[in-house]
Amino acid sequence: MTLALVFEQLLNGVQLGVMLFLLAAGLTLVLGIMNMVNLAHGALYMVGAYFAITVSQWSGSYLLGAAAALVGTLVVGMLVEVIALRTLYQRDHLDQVLATFGLILFFNELMAILFGRFALFASLPSYLQGHIELFAGIRYPLYRAVVIIVGLLTAIILWYVVTRTRLGMLIRAGASNRTMVAALGINIRLLYTVVFGFGAALAGLAGLMAGQIYTVQPGMGELILIQVFVVIVIGGIGSIRGALVGALIVGVVDTLGRAFLKPMLGAILPPIAADTAAPALASMLIYLLMALVLALKPAGLFPARG
Amino acid sequence: MLLEVRQLSKSFGALRATDRVDLDVEDGETLAIIGPNGAGKTTLIGQLAGNLRPDAGAIRFAGENITRLPAPRRARKGFARSFQITSVFPEFTALENVALAIQAHQGSSFRFWRPAMRDPALMDPARDFLRQVGLESRAHAFAANLSHGEHRQLEVAMALAGRPRLLLLDEPMAGMGIDESLRMIELLRTLKRRQAMILVEHDMDAVFRLADRIAVLVYGRVIATGSPEEIRTNAEVKKAYLGEDA
Amino acid sequence: MRNAVFWAIAIAALAALPPVAQALGQGFYIDLVRRIMIFAIAAVSLNLILGYGGMVSFGHAAYLGVGGYAVAIFAFYGVNSGPLQWAVAIGASALVALAIGAVSIRTSGLYFIMITLAFTQMLYYLGISIEEYGGDDGIRLKSRSQFPLLDLNDGVQFYYVILVLLLGCVYLVHRIVNSRFGMALRAAKSNEARALAIGFSPYRYRLTAFVIAGAMGGLSGALLVNHTNFLTPDYMHWTRSGEIMFMVILGGMGTSVGPVLGSFALLLLEDILANWRDPRWIGEHWQVILGPLLVLAVIFFRRGLAGLFQKNDAS
């Protein structure tokens, strides 16, 4: 367990955290402002990944694929909102959960029809391959570093939009008191569609970046969605700051746990016990963390609603 | 002294919704709390009923400090309330609504087998309470289908079903026409003798007919307490309601 | 009265199915309906907490998994005693429900949904990571549970066992929801503020209902693993919970016939779609049709199938 290894895993944790943040930000906004549980958010992430892979393979340009993913998910997201989700804003959470669950089935199977059930693998363009040198001779994959930077940049842009622009003010107001914002004469429908599209694009960004690190296949959205929910519960519904803090915590805890729990347990338990307990415990770690946070702060760390 | 409220305070940010309120209610007494809109009556009720935590002060009920006790525990100690905006169980019949209140009071709800709504220990008293408030003809109507006035009567029946020592009524006259109001006032008059009541109301007719004492709440503070006659002639009260040149 | 008629017909039809199917040479229907009835038990248990209790628990499939794995693990070590296996299956599920419920039920609304989802996923990952019992390849049931006087290897006997258990569970839930306990639970769902004001503390009733539902889910899991002879952590995946929820909603929440109607409707529909020959792609990708159907069902068909029979929620 060298310092280099720990630091590398720490960075991996931040990278996972950044991806979780991109997904969590969109989802928590939709939850906070429209009070809607959207299980299909992971499907948008998947759509982004598929757009990126297919367009970049067809056109030969990674950047074109990335652009297609962003635009594609934005459009798909807004279409889904207008066609299927508008009626759900008035309904209770149960209806929303079930309807968006139906959407998941649809999207997963659609991808399977179009692209098959097997994992697709994307290749990196040469300018994104290789490693960069950090300090003390520690090397880190360039691509992952780029992901971290893009994610943090997005966080900063998001922070700027939410705290310094009029749109952001509407978003924050809507997150803490939806009825009031509607009563003030703001075109709520448009605001909702914009917010939803925004969130979809963020999911698409996460998806397009994910293709190189995780496998692209039907159902990939659901694998990460639950972790996103954990992030939101820990961070607080409706809060972007909470989403960032929660995402980084979850990303780091999960990654470090998976990497180091076995050797750590191996130091105090007999090897067979450590071998069985470690993977199980590592995968449960973030849920235990969530339970702990909830026990102390039932509304999450930074709840947007008073 | 059945209920003692001392120095009760609650603020929302810079807004003092409840400002060092003192109140007393004796057994069998009816205290009315009146005040202009925005006086903080809802916040005060919330703290009395156990839905809001006061920032400071104490509430003693039958000698016991209930300041931090949650609402269901207060109900089980004999503190019943009705809601300003009708709040009943809409999918259940009027009879079942009252039966539920009786069941909650009796406390033995961990029974899993026998049908509750055929249990005479619940049904008989339920019918009785409905009769007391004049709703026996609507016993089998779904609560969602009752008229507004009937809802209010049902709420009173449910409050009584808990055999309370203190009944907290939050604007029982709200939304009622003249006939319905008179009937409700009559009903409340018959109930007066049996338990203490705190009546929060805007309807001055009801207040002056029912109250033994009145407390006037303005901007979260009690500016006057006394008999109806005293309050009627109090200059401070007149000013609060009617402005400076009353 | 409509209820009584429905049940009379249902019981008669289900009881008559095996001999009729065998006479017609369509033995696989016995298998199919057996599977549907097992999920109907799961739906009945979820209906208790969801339909009557108002708790949107997305983690119900976990209890099927716990129950199924309890039986499979016992069999793995050569312990095939049905009464022991099933007792542990039910008990273990109840305990897991108690643990998850104790934490989750303190929250409500969005948080409750997400937390139950998260905890189920946690169990799913636990199942995957224990290599000893198959990991994500799953575990084979070495031999079906053994009971004195009964042979579960006989498909028809097993069918009737499940039928009796299903009817038993339906009746049990029926008694529970009309008892004092059930009324308190339903009152808390109907109007929580009112329930608090008259003196009910919802937490204790909800947690108890949650445990009962979990235990019944465990029974369903024990039956399931005996039926399929095989179990993977997939059975605990939250999308399975979604399917069970759909059965409850489609059939009609908070009714006694609902979960049974819903499970038959959904699973028969899935079966029909999955076996569609012309065009072939429907058979292979039936979820692309089922998905939108479910969305439409939620948007337009909220009261469920039972709503076609009855006008109110009287059980």
Side-chain angles (χ1 to χ4, degrees):
Chain A
M1 228 162 49
T2 65
L3 177 65
L5 195 58
V6 173
F7 194 69
E8 181 184 351
Q9 289 303 332
L10 191 60
L11 281 180
N12 282 342
V14 172
Q15 179 251 302
L16 175 61
V18 142
M19 302 262 303
L20 289 176
F21 165 70
L22 290 174
L23 287 165
L27 196 57
T28 205
L29 279 181
V30 168
L31 270 176
I33 298 179
M34 287 103 98
N35 202 18
M36 184 158 95
V37 187
N38 177 20
L39 292 184
H41 199 67
L44 292 167
Y45 162 79
M46 174 181 70
V47 165
Y50 271 103
F51 262 120
I53 282 197
T54 42
V55 172
S56 60
Q57 272 178 1
W58 166 76
S59 72
S61 158
Y62 176 82
L63 286 177
L64 200 58
L70 286 174
V71 172
T73 33
L74 182 69
V75 169
V76 170
M78 295 209 287
L79 273 176
V80 165
E81 196 261 350
V82 169
I83 297 177
L85 297 180
R86 279 225 172 131
T87 45
L88 294 176
Y89 293 137
Q90 327 282 40
R91 307 284 208 103
D92 61 25
H93 292 317
L94 177 59
D95 286 353
Q96 295 167 356
V97 153
L98 293 173
T100 51
F101 176 68
L103 284 177
I104 291 179
L105 295 183
F106 171 72
F107 274 112
N108 278 339
E109 210 55 37
L110 187 62
M111 294 301 123
I113 292 178
L114 294 174
F115 305 109
R117 284 188 207 283
F118 298 102
L120 295 184
F121 292 102
S123 52
L124 277 176
S126 53
Y127 54 85
L128 284 178
Q129 289 173 9
H131 292 76
I132 55 171
E133 282 265 341
L134 299 170
F135 57 89
I138 300 176
R139 298 173 53 192
Y140 195 64
L142 174 63
Y143 184 69
R144 290 190 184 231
V146 168
V147 170
I148 293 178
I149 293 174
V150 168
L152 290 177
L153 263 178
T154 312
I156 293 176
I157 295 175
L158 214 56
W159 169 81
Y160 183 81
V161 168
V162 168
T163 52
R164 293 260 184 278
T165 67
R166 197 170 125 80
L167 174 65
M169 186 183 66
L170 285 177
I171 289 175
R172 273 181 298 138
S176 75
N177 192 334
R178 173 179 334 113
T179 348
M180 201 52 201
V181 171
L184 289 173
I186 309 291
N187 184 346
I188 277 291
R189 270 200 166 175
L190 188 59
L191 182 65
Y192 283 8
T193 308
V194 166
V195 170
F196 196 85
F198 214 20
L202 287 173
L205 178 60
L208 81 93
M209 294 200 292
Q212 322 294 348
I213 307 175
Y214 311 107
T215 52
V216 177
Q217 63 189 49
M220 64 187 279
E222 287 68 73
L223 293 175
I224 203 169
L225 189 68
I226 307 288
Q227 288 179 301
V228 175
F229 277 144
V230 172
V231 165
I232 293 180
V233 169
I234 290 179
I237 293 179
S239 162
I240 297 208
R241 183 177 14 157
L244 184 60
V245 172
L248 288 174
I249 293 177
V250 169
V252 168
V253 167
D254 189 58
T255 310
L256 290 182
R258 283 177 202 283
F260 298 121
L261 207 53
K262 204 187 254 187
M264 287 204 304
L265 281 184
I268 45 175
L269 292 177
I272 301 185
D275 260 4
T276 29
L281 200 54
S283 49
M284 298 204 314
L285 212 51
I286 60 170
Y287 304 107
L288 296 172
L289 177 66
M290 176 183 77
L292 183 66
V293 169
L294 280 177
L296 301 171
K297 294 199 110 199
L301 295 173
F302 302 101
R305 301 201 210 141
Chain B
M1 192 59 63
L2 183 62
L3 183 76
E4 292 172 61
V5 178
R6 292 283 173 269
Q7 298 289 295
L8 200 66
S9 302
K10 182 150 188 84
S11 302
F12 294 104
L15 177 66
R16 290 247 195 103
T18 309
D19 192 358
R20 289 161 295 162
V21 165
D22 287 337
L23 288 174
D24 287 313
V25 184
E26 303 232 25
D27 261 300
E29 180 183 36
T30 297
L31 172 74
I33 300 180
I34 65 175
N37 277 325
K41 296 199 287 291
T42 314
T43 313
L44 179 59
I45 292 176
Q47 292 169 81
L48 290 178
N51 302 114
L52 282 177
R53 276 271 182 97
D55 296 333
I59 306 174
R60 296 187 76 81
F61 183 65
E64 194 186 328
N65 187 336
I66 64 165
T67 321
R68 301 231 169 278
L69 216 57
R73 303 271 303 276
R74 293 189 202 199
R76 296 202 282 269
K77 289 202 183 294
F79 193 112
R81 72 166 290 181
S82 77
F83 289 80
Q84 179 186 2
I85 300 179
T86 300
S87 176
V88 293
F89 300 114
E91 311 98 356
F92 295 100
T93 65
L95 188 63
E96 288 168 341
N97 266 264
V98 183
L100 278 168
I102 297 173
Q103 180 188 321
H105 176 71
Q106 284 182 0
S108 51
S109 285
F110 271 92
R111 305 283 152 86
F112 296 86
W113 194 253
R114 300 181 62 214
M117 294 300 148
R118 295 215 280 266
D119 184 351
L122 293 179
M123 290 289 112
D124 293 342
R127 267 186 215 101
D128 193 50
F129 285 118
L130 282 181
R131 194 176 308 123
Q132 285 180 38
V133 300
L135 268 185
E136 71 267 30
S137 61
R138 302 287 272 150
H140 298 291
F142 285 106
N145 296 334
L146 295 177
S147 73
H148 179 69
E150 289 169 333
H151 273 145
R152 301 318 229 138
Q153 288 168 280
L154 181 58
E155 287 229 19
V156 174
M158 288 172 75
L160 289 177
R163 298 195 192 276
R165 295 183 63 181
L166 176 64
L167 197 48
L168 174 57
L169 297 169
D170 189 357
E171 297 198 36
M173 305 294 156
M176 287 216 198
I178 306 208
D179 283 341
E180 291 173 320
S181 292
L182 287 175
R183 248 179 277 140
M184 180 59 82
I185 293 175
E186 254 320 292
L187 171 58
L188 292 178
R189 245 175 21 86
T190 59
L191 297 179
K192 257 171 70 82
R193 291 165 247 125
R194 295 211 303 214
Q195 67 269 304
M197 289 203 285
I198 297 181
L199 186 65
V200 176
E201 248 311 329
H202 278 302
D203 182 336
M204 288 307 155
D205 199 27
V207 167
F208 282 106
R209 285 208 216 186
L210 293 168
D212 297 321
R213 275 173 47 249
I214 301 179
V216 185
L217 195 67
V218 179
Y219 291 137
R221 272 198 327 114
V222 175
I223 62 167
T225 323
S227 72
E229 260 318 298
E230 289 167 0
I231 295 299
R232 204 197 298 261
T233 52
N234 185 309
E236 283 288 320
V237 174
K238 281 209 189 122
K239 198 162 71 178
Y241 267 98
L242 302 170
E244 280 294 337
D245 25 292
Chain C
M1 269 312 101
R2 280 196 164 127
N3 262 348
V5 170
F6 170 84
W7 285 116
I9 296 178
I11 295 174
L14 288 173
L17 184 105
V20 169
Q22 284 180 325
L24 293 175
Q26 307 273 20
F28 77 90
Y29 275 113
I30 301 178
D31 247 33
L32 175 65
V33 175
R34 224 168 52 200
R35 179 167 166 266
I36 295 179
M37 288 198 294
I38 291 175
F39 278 103
I41 293 179
V44 166
S45 66
L46 181 60
N47 190 32
L48 173 63
I49 53 176
L50 175 61
Y52 292 105
M55 300 188 274
V56 185
S57 163
F58 222 97
H60 212 61
Y63 307 110
L64 273 83
V66 170
Y69 267 101
V71 170
I73 292 176
F74 266 115
F76 184 77
Y77 290 117
V79 178
N80 293 315
S81 154
L84 178 62
Q85 289 177 337
W86 291 22
V88 171
I90 294 174
S93 315
L95 276 175
V96 171
L98 181 62
I100 293 181
V103 175
S104 319
I105 295 178
R106 294 211 177 277
T107 66
S108 61
L110 293 171
Y111 285 105
F112 182 74
I113 299 175
M114 296 199 288
I115 291 162
T116 49
L117 244 176
F119 278 128
T120 315
Q121 205 58 359
M122 183 180 89
L123 285 172
Y124 168 74
Y125 283 127
L126 191 61
I128 291 185
S129 60
I130 303 189
E131 284 303 322
E132 191 68 359
Y133 304 125
D136 67 344
D137 287 328
I139 182 172
R140 282 216 158 276
L141 188 69
K142 290 195 182 157
S143 131
R144 285 193 177 171
S145 307
Q146 283 162 7
F147 285 90
L149 303 179
L150 288 171
D151 180 19
L152 294 187
N153 288 301
D154 176 339
V156 175
Q157 271 194 51
F158 192 20
Y159 177 100
Y160 284 115
V161 166
I162 297 174
L163 177 58
V164 167
L165 285 172
L166 171 61
L167 294 174
C169 288
V170 170
Y171 185 63
L172 182 65
V173 169
H174 172 75
R175 290 304 287 233
I176 289 177
V177 299
N178 286 309
S179 71
R180 287 194 179 213
F181 169 82
M183 293 305 285
L185 180 71
R186 292 160 66 188
K189 169 183 190 250
S190 168
N191 185 338
E192 183 161 345
R194 207 5 141 169
L196 290 171
I198 55 178
F200 283 131
S201 302
Y203 180 80
R204 56 185 71 168
Y205 304 108
R206 288 179 173 152
L207 183 57
T208 308
F210 202 75
V211 171
I212 295 174
M216 205 179 277
L219 173 64
S220 172
L223 291 170
L224 185 62
V225 73
N226 271 287
H227 169 79
T228 57
N229 290 315
F230 185 71
L231 193 67
T232 68
D234 254 3
Y235 281 97
M236 293 195 279
H237 199 251
W238 64 278
T239 45
R240 292 307 179 105
S241 292
E243 279 192 270
I244 304 176
M245 274 180 129
F246 254 110
M247 295 176 207
V248 174
I249 307 298
L250 215 54
M253 284 207 299
T255 64
S256 65
V257 314
V260 175
L261 269 180
S263 42
F264 271 88
L266 185 67
L267 292 174
L268 283 174
L269 182 62
E270 278 186 14
D271 193 67
I272 292 174
L273 284 177
N275 289 317
W276 204 274
R277 303 244 175 271
D278 171 28
R280 193 81 191 88
W281 65 266
I282 292 185
E284 284 172 10
H285 298 288
W286 51 271
Q287 290 194 331
V288 86
I289 303 219
L290 188 67
L293 275 181
L294 294 178
V295 176
L296 288 173
V298 171
I299 295 182
F300 294 113
F301 199 39
R302 199 49 182 80
R303 305 251 16 242
L305 294 166
L308 295 177
F309 292 115
Q310 304 160 309
K311 271 197 250 137
N312 56 48
D313 277 352
S315 188

